[in-house]
Amino acid sequence: MPKSYLLTPKKIRPDLPVRIGTGILLLVFVAILAGRFSLDRLSAALPAFDLRLGFLYILVLAIGLWFAGAHERIPKPQKVAGAGFFVAWAGWLLMSAIWAPADARLGDKVLDMVLLLALTLIAWIVMSRLPAEATGKIWKWMLVAALIYFALAMAAGPGAQGRYAAPGGGPNVFVRVMILGALAALFYASQKKKLLPLLPVPLFAVGAALSGSRGGLLSALIIFLVFAVPIARQLGAGKVIAILIVLGGAGTFLALQNNSALLKFVQERYVQQTFVEGYSSGRDLILEDAMRLYNESPIIGKGLDGYFALQNVSGEFEYPHNLTVATMAESGAIGLAFMLGAVGSALVTAFRLRRVPTVLFASLAGLYLLIASQFSGDYYDTRLMWFFFGFAAIEAARPRPSRSSTAPQKSRGPKEYTGASGTSRPRLSQGSRLPAQTHR
């Protein structure tokens, strides 16, 4: 009897349009993650050119060439729930510049809103046209970025008040990247049987603590407590126990190093300043001022950057440090309705498929950033939040196989294998032979 064999499919490399689209998505991810950056920050001899404009030009050019060269091979886009509300929210804020007060910094703020709108829409446009295998690389990029941020922060050392941050960003940005890195690690751990993806989690936890961002850590605590059960289901009991043991051991070890410097910092920043001294970083004054402006103009608000121009103490605070309150004060109930519509649409869509790992963790990333944006950041600082909300909505909108199609079916004939060329041929069972060809 001849030796039997099985025909098995080979791993197919993505075609060229998918690879190009993935590269464009990586570029827009870097642009969104990088934040504000100008050439003069590299050297005083260089002009103060906003590099975001350069990124935007490259992205628009790349997408134009991508569509022109491969429009017939690019699939139809997935639906992005809440996209219309997001455009309406950003557009209404831009329109509010018409009735903004005279001292508002409209040049910078209009540019921020235009770039936020453009980069977010570009990310969604590319993401929605790529297969899940390509968009899944976002987690790898996020994990690598978080490790780079952590290394740079440790190399730079503590800054003001002993707080750590990566060069080019503040502590509140640093803590967000650390938590997003932890979520990326947890996602990979849920997909693999090994514990290796969990190794960076203690580093991210230490980095988040050293940032000194109370709002960022509180937001993470809310996410991990409220969604502990769904996360545990994805990871499994063994990995959850391993995470708790590693975090406990690493935390104890680091707390005892360098004369318990980490423990002293945590006690001073999170206990002494917060609960004993009642230090709020002026958030109570900001909230009072912003709500006063909203009550004065509850429908359309005071206009873009109206808070900065009309706060009680001129120039004391740059912005409200609260996405919801800022939207209310500067764009009124109309702007708030658009913002809630955008967030709610994405979350409702993702909630229906919350058991899908990518949808769950992308939703948690967006929700974490939404909560964190209630403590710090301006409109442009929400760019990663919109990125992950769109990511979750796109993955949730992908067609899923129905239960009937995944159920095992009996077959009388030989099973077929679809090769890379798309043609079907019978899969040989053990001991079977290929039928002999008939020659004339």
Side-chain angles (χ1 to χ4, degrees), residues 19 28 60 96 144 166 178 180 187 193 237 257 266 314 322 332 359 375 385 388 407 425:
R19 297 201 300 272
V28 71
V60 171
S96 72
V144 171
M178 293 295 97
L180 292 176
F187 168 79
K193 295 182 179 180
Q257 299 302 306
V266 171
S314 178
N322 184 308
V359 177
F375 300 98
M385 180 191 81
F388 277 102
R425 55 188 178 220

Side-chain angles (χ1 to χ4, degrees), residues 130-321:
L130 291 175
E133 292 78 10
T135 56
K137 294 181 179 180
I138 291 173
W139 298 113
K140 180 186 297 184
W141 302 337
M142 191 70 253
L143 185 59
V144 171
L147 288 171
I148 293 174
Y149 268 61
F150 178 83
L152 292 176
M154 296 303 105
Q161 299 179 336
R163 302 171 65 182
Y164 280 73
N172 293 324
V173 174
F174 179 59
V175 68
R176 297 183 188 191
V177 175
M178 293 295 97
I179 301 302
L180 292 176
L183 287 172
L186 293 177
F187 168 79
Y188 275 117
S190 71
Q191 301 301 292
K192 301 179 181 296
K193 295 182 179 180
K194 300 179 181 180
L195 297 176
L196 183 62
L198 297 176
L199 291 180
V201 173
L203 299 180
F204 298 147
V206 171
L210 290 175
S211 72
S213 176
R214 294 170 294 179
L217 283 181
L218 177 60
S219 303
L221 183 63
I222 292 173
I223 288 296
F224 288 120
L225 287 180
V226 173
F227 296 94
V229 173
I231 293 174
R233 285 176 178 173
Q234 292 292 338
L235 293 174
K239 291 177 181 176
V240 172
I241 295 174
I243 291 174
L244 295 176
I245 293 175
V246 171
L247 285 177
T252 303
F253 174 78
L254 292 172
L256 299 177
Q257 299 302 306
N258 195 19
N259 295 323
S260 302
L262 176 61
L263 188 62
K264 293 177 181 177
F265 173 79
V266 171
Q267 194 277 334
E268 171 66 23
R269 176 66 181 172
Y270 298 104
V271 179
Q272 179 68 24
Q273 293 184 13
T274 304
F275 297 105
V276 178
E277 300 176 6
Y279 176 61
S280 64
S281 300
R283 297 300 192 267
D284 51 344
L285 301 177
I286 293 174
L287 179 61
E288 181 181 346
D289 251 5
M291 291 307 299
R292 173 182 60 83
L293 297 179
Y294 171 72
N295 291 329
E296 291 176 359
S297 182
I299 305 300
I300 64 173
K302 291 293 188 178
L304 187 63
D305 203 41
Y307 172 82
F308 175 81
L310 300 175
Q311 60 184 307
N312 282 330
V313 181
S314 178
E316 183 177 10
F317 298 106
E318 291 289 319
Y319 44 83
H321 289 274

Side-chain angles (χ1 to χ4, degrees), residues 63 182 205 234 278 282 289 331 411 436:
I63 289 180
Q234 292 292 338
D289 251 5
S331 64
S411 176

